[in-house]
Amino acid sequence: MSAERRLDVLRAIVEDYVSTREPVGSRVLAERHHLGVSPATIRNDMATLEEEGYIAQPHTSAGRIPTDKGYRLFVDELSTVKPLSVAQRRAIETFLSRAVDLDDVVARAGRLIAQLTGQVAVVQYPSLRRSGLRHLELVSLGGGRLLIVIITDTGRVEQRALELGESPDEETLAEVRSRINQVAVGRQLPEIMSAVATAESWPPQIRALVAEIATVVEQALVEESAERLLLAGTANLARAGMRFEHALRPVLEALEEQVVLLGLLTEMAADAGVSVRIGRETQLEGLAQTSVVTTGYGNEGATVALLGSIGPTRMDYPGTIAAVRAVAAYLSRVLGS
Amino acid sequence: MSAERRLDVLRAIVEDYVSTREPVGSRVLAERHHLGVSPATIRNDMATLEEEGYIAQPHTSAGRIPTDKGYRLFVDELSTVKPLSVAQRRAIETFLSRAVDLDDVVARAGRLIAQLTGQVAVVQYPSLRRSGLRHLELVSLGGGRLLIVIITDTGRVEQRALELGESPDEETLAEVRSRINQVAVGRQLPEIMSAVATAESWPPQIRALVAEIATVVEQALVEESAERLLLAGTANLARAGMRFEHALRPVLEALEEQVVLLGLLTEMAADAGVSVRIGRETQLEGLAQTSVVTTGYGNEGATVALLGSIGPTRMDYPGTIAAVRAVAAYLSRVLGS
DNA sequence: ATTGGCACTCGGAGGGTTCGAGTGCCGGTT
DNA sequence: AACCGGCACTCGAACCCTCCGAGTGCCAAT
């Protein structure tokens, strides 16, 4: 009994089950995939695969379906990339490039993923923490008030006011501004702020002002801890064919628990490239029947946030991975310009 | 046959059906609500009510359920207000007052409504168009660039840059700033801008600058036409007892069509006080089985946006109306401070 | 106007049967 | 040793039938 063929059988089972949504038996397997062996032989392979935990039988007299472990093996070893069509790529590009501002870009990315995968899309808004600084603007508002405007390289704008004893003069401001912006190039915000706060060689009166500015910016970073998520395509969950039509509640609940969902995404951000969590691997009860596919996006390879797709464990992994990766790539490009 | 009792019967049918979710027959009606007449009499009333289109029979041998028209009569004439408990009011107040910024206030209001009504909550973000101006800040960025910062009385902050031929001097800026802010008090943005643009008595060089500023602000108002909505509690749709557990798709789809949903809300904004659309009155296919209850919120009675709850036509109207109204009231108060 | 009585309807629950897909295993073949 | 045809067995899904009872409309009586 060849171990290699057994993997072919597993691949065939996954592909068949994903496309038909029916438990697959030995006969159709032998017919549809030219494996060159008889159903009886396949049955033996299936028995072994079941012992090893890759597939399971919903009922005694039914075919087999892949387990989480089976999908995991399929994703890691058995699946091949499924490139998007040129038309699809072009559609992504033009749709994203029509966005008018950051919110719109994120919303459009969400709709794209939902539409391409036929599943739920999740997009994290670019985080201040992980963004680079495009420009920091300092504006004296008079009466000792200073307006700090942070413009990130993802196009996000955030402003904070700072109360000072007295208004600094324009030259000082100009110097602080140019010094900070010089240090900033290509670095992330928290890093910039700590670098700036400890720049010992700077003149003392400037250092004092810079320290105050850094404090305010740090404060903004902390407040932002409740990052925002965008969901799209939740109606897809109720589509015919999603096996949990009748057990939607837990899934919807899990998706509404944005804090928990964010935790999962953050964990997944640690993986390089596209990250896949299958079924119970998500560690979330509500998502036990679903898989999550995510990847990072941002500027020039630096991840500023995640985006991804959530669907039934019985999803088209190669297609979903391709869609998520493509949208992330174009999104990064749009943000970078 | 007393017409008055017939209305009592209708009220009893609505209340019973809402609480039991079962078609209600003449016998239980006579038992549960002390109407003082026999089931046979009630049957006659029911026959009349059915002829008039207020109730209907799902099957020949089943009890009656209210029609959209029946609910409408109930809401308009038969229901009494159901005040929230003191504990509930206090919970709303403290929960809302803990919000840290505008986004958070809106999110919290959504969660409150979803939780109080056990249905889906919709909250429209305060619109720039309908907001008053708390403060307009003008900042010269040097090189002929001017930063315009709009702070609305709902706490929303929006900024736009303006390219000028040359940087205006600080005195001019200060004068423009103070003139605009003087005109602004208590008026809405579009109105302010047109008032300001036509202030003939102002010195010419100031009028030119003001006109440019007004153009940019108008532009911001136009761009905002795609207003944002927040949804919360969609998981409630899948709760046991929501009759459309198995026909969720159209509802979810309708909720995702934010443009369409916004159109409905805008229509409803025309009604004074709490506005109720029942079933097909929404004119949306996907919401044919649901009712929408909304009301405006804002500062001192001026509506800046809507918020509301969406649930099955078979909802607890008095309770939903009370919850929506209460959250709107506290939300207005929080925003006003 | 109201009511008790009565014949009638019909959806839903329960129970039994059939059907067939799919399995595991055994013994034979290459 | 690997593969395969054959066969007995299992069991869920579908179907059919029957029965039950809630609920109705109508009628004659009060």
Side-chain angles (χ1 to χ4, degrees):
Chain A
M1 159 161 27
S2 125
E4 206 173 314
R5 192 196 51 230
R6 227 161 47 224
L7 294 184
D8 287 343
V9 170
L10 177 57
R11 180 192 293 119
I13 292 174
V14 172
E15 288 174 355
D16 238 57
Y17 182 59
V18 165
S19 64
T20 67
R21 294 174 201 113
E22 298 288 340
V24 12
S26 53
R27 176 171 351 201
V28 288
L29 218 45
E31 283 167 5
R32 274 207 276 262
H33 307 261
H34 33 74
L35 294 170
V37 290
S38 80
T41 306
I42 293 181
R43 278 206 287 282
N44 289 328
D45 290 342
M46 286 166 98
T48 311
L49 285 170
E50 180 157 14
E51 265 174 45
E52 295 171 338
Y54 293 114
I55 57 179
Q57 263 184 304
H59 322 291
T60 314
S61 72
R64 305 302 217 292
I65 62 175
T67 59
D68 289 358
K69 188 177 170 191
Y71 286 121
R72 168 53 63 197
L73 187 60
F74 174 80
V75 168
D76 288 347
E77 313 280 350
L78 305 176
S79 64
T80 55
V81 283
K82 185 201 255 177
L84 272 68
S85 72
V86 176
Q88 279 176 313
R89 300 190 161 272
R90 185 158 313 152
I92 294 174
E93 194 162 13
T94 62
F95 189 68
L96 277 186
S97 65
R98 285 213 192 101
V100 302
D101 64 10
L102 181 64
D103 273 12
D104 197 26
V105 168
V106 170
R108 279 169 182 260
R111 264 184 282 162
L112 271 175
I113 293 177
Q115 210 250 310
L116 288 169
T117 64
Q119 298 169 167
V120 177
V122 156
V123 188
Q124 193 178 8
Y125 283 85
S127 152
L128 274 188
R129 306 197 73 77
R130 287 190 293 265
S131 294
L133 189 63
R134 181 179 291 164
H135 191 71
L136 184 88
E137 192 52 61
L138 301 174
V139 183
S140 172
L141 296 183
R145 301 190 70 220
L146 187 65
L147 183 71
I148 304 172
V149 182
I150 305 163
I151 305 175
T152 73
D153 57 4
T154 50
R156 193 165 155 177
V157 184
E158 201 77 16
Q159 71 274 305
R160 285 291 184 286
L162 172 59
E163 294 283 347
L164 295 170
E166 56 178 323
S167 293
D169 58 55
E170 271 304 322
E171 285 119 81
T172 315
L173 270 193
E175 185 170 356
V176 168
R177 180 161 41 214
S178 89
R179 278 185 190 265
I180 291 181
N181 282 306
Q182 244 163 30
V183 168
V185 190
R187 301 219 233 166
Q188 294 188 339
L189 267 174
E191 197 191 343
I192 294 168
M193 285 306 135
S194 62
V196 141
T198 59
E200 312 230 339
S201 62
W202 294 5
Q205 84 275 20
I206 286 184
R207 289 192 57 197
L209 183 52
V210 163
E212 294 221 57
I213 292 171
T215 310
V216 170
V217 174
E218 306 271 15
Q219 186 59 28
L221 293 177
V222 170
E223 276 172 13
E224 199 222 14
S225 64
E227 297 181 74
R228 284 169 54 213
L229 287 181
L230 172 130
L231 290 178
T234 47
N236 285 332
L237 283 177
R239 266 197 354 209
M242 289 277 170
R243 260 299 172 265
F244 33 67
E245 285 143 311
H246 303 326
L248 260 188
R249 201 167 72 264
V251 181
L252 282 173
E253 275 167 5
L255 294 181
E256 283 203 355
E257 284 289 338
Q258 303 222 335
V259 184
V260 180
L261 192 52
L262 250 162
L264 173 61
L265 294 185
T266 307
E267 260 180 50
M268 295 180 72
D271 303 2
V274 177
S275 171
V276 180
R277 291 292 156 95
I278 297 168
R280 304 204 159 271
E281 291 174 5
T282 58
Q283 310 280 8
L284 300 182
E285 198 48 49
L287 298 185
Q289 314 257 31
T290 69
S291 290
V292 185
V293 176
T294 67
T295 195
Y297 68 90
N299 274 325
E300 297 150 24
T303 290
V304 294
L306 291 190
L307 98 205
S309 180
I310 302 175
T313 50
R314 173 199 56 38
M315 70 164 66
D316 170 14
Y317 289 95
T320 303
I321 291 171
V324 166
R325 184 182 283 153
V327 173
Y330 285 111
L331 182 52
S332 300
R333 193 192 295 177
V334 169
L335 287 181
S337 62
Chain B
M1 157 162 32
S2 126
E4 205 172 315
R5 193 197 49 230
R6 229 165 40 228
L7 294 184
D8 287 344
V9 170
L10 178 57
R11 180 193 293 119
I13 291 175
V14 171
E15 288 174 355
D16 239 58
Y17 183 58
V18 164
S19 64
T20 66
R21 293 173 201 115
E22 299 287 339
V24 14
S26 53
R27 175 170 351 203
V28 287
L29 219 44
E31 283 167 5
R32 275 207 275 264
H33 308 259
H34 34 74
L35 294 168
V37 291
S38 78
T41 308
I42 293 181
R43 279 206 285 284
N44 289 328
D45 289 342
M46 286 166 97
T48 311
L49 285 169
E50 180 158 14
E51 263 174 47
E52 295 171 338
Y54 294 114
I55 57 179
Q57 262 183 305
H59 323 289
T60 314
S61 72
R64 306 302 217 292
I65 63 176
T67 60
D68 289 358
K69 190 177 169 192
Y71 287 121
R72 168 54 64 197
L73 187 60
F74 175 80
V75 168
D76 289 347
E77 314 280 350
L78 304 177
S79 64
T80 55
V81 284
K82 185 201 259 178
L84 273 66
S85 71
V86 176
Q88 279 177 312
R89 298 189 162 274
R90 185 157 314 151
I92 295 175
E93 195 163 13
T94 62
F95 188 68
L96 277 186
S97 65
R98 285 213 193 100
V100 301
D101 64 10
L102 182 63
D103 273 12
D104 196 27
V105 168
V106 171
R108 279 167 182 261
R111 264 183 282 162
L112 271 175
I113 293 176
Q115 210 250 309
L116 287 169
T117 65
Q119 299 169 359
V120 178
V122 203
V123 188
Q124 193 178 7
Y125 283 85
S127 152
L128 274 188
R129 306 197 73 79
R130 287 190 293 264
S131 295
L133 189 62
R134 180 179 292 164
H135 191 70
L136 184 88
E137 191 54 61
L138 301 174
V139 182
S140 173
L141 297 183
R145 301 190 72 219
L146 186 65
L147 183 71
I148 305 171
V149 181
I150 305 161
I151 306 176
T152 73
D153 57 3
T154 50
R156 194 167 153 176
V157 183
E158 200 76 16
Q159 72 274 305
R160 286 291 185 286
L162 172 59
E163 294 283 347
L164 295 170
E166 56 178 323
S167 293
D169 57 56
E170 272 303 323
E171 286 118 81
T172 315
L173 270 193
E175 187 170 355
V176 168
R177 182 161 39 214
S178 89
R179 278 184 188 266
I180 292 181
N181 283 306
Q182 243 162 33
V183 169
V185 190
R187 301 220 232 166
Q188 295 188 338
L189 267 174
E191 196 191 343
I192 293 168
M193 285 307 134
S194 62
V196 140
T198 57
E200 312 231 338
S201 63
W202 294 5
Q205 84 274 22
I206 286 184
R207 290 194 55 200
L209 183 52
V210 164
E212 294 220 56
I213 292 170
T215 311
V216 170
V217 175
E218 305 272 15
Q219 185 61 29
L221 293 177
V222 170
E223 276 171 14
E224 198 223 14
S225 63
E227 297 180 75
R228 284 169 53 215
L229 288 181
L230 172 128
L231 290 179
T234 49
N236 285 332
L237 284 177
R239 267 198 352 210
M242 289 277 171
R243 259 298 172 270
F244 33 68
E245 284 143 313
H246 304 324
L248 259 187
R249 200 167 71 264
V251 181
L252 281 173
E253 275 167 7
L255 294 182
E256 283 205 355
E257 284 289 339
Q258 303 222 334
V259 184
V260 180
L261 193 52
L262 249 162
L264 172 62
L265 293 185
T266 307
E267 257 179 51
M268 294 179 73
D271 303 2
V274 177
S275 171
V276 180
R277 291 293 156 95
I278 297 168
R280 304 204 158 272
E281 290 175 6
T282 59
Q283 309 280 7
L284 300 183
E285 199 48 50
L287 298 185
Q289 315 256 33
T290 70
S291 290
V292 185
V293 176
T294 66
T295 194
Y297 68 89
N299 274 326
E300 296 150 25
T303 289
V304 294
L306 291 191
L307 99 202
S309 178
I310 302 176
T313 50
R314 174 199 55 39
M315 70 165 66
D316 170 14
Y317 289 95
T320 303
I321 291 172
V324 165
R325 184 182 284 154
V327 173
Y330 285 110
L331 181 52
S332 299
R333 192 193 295 178
V334 168
L335 286 181
S337 63

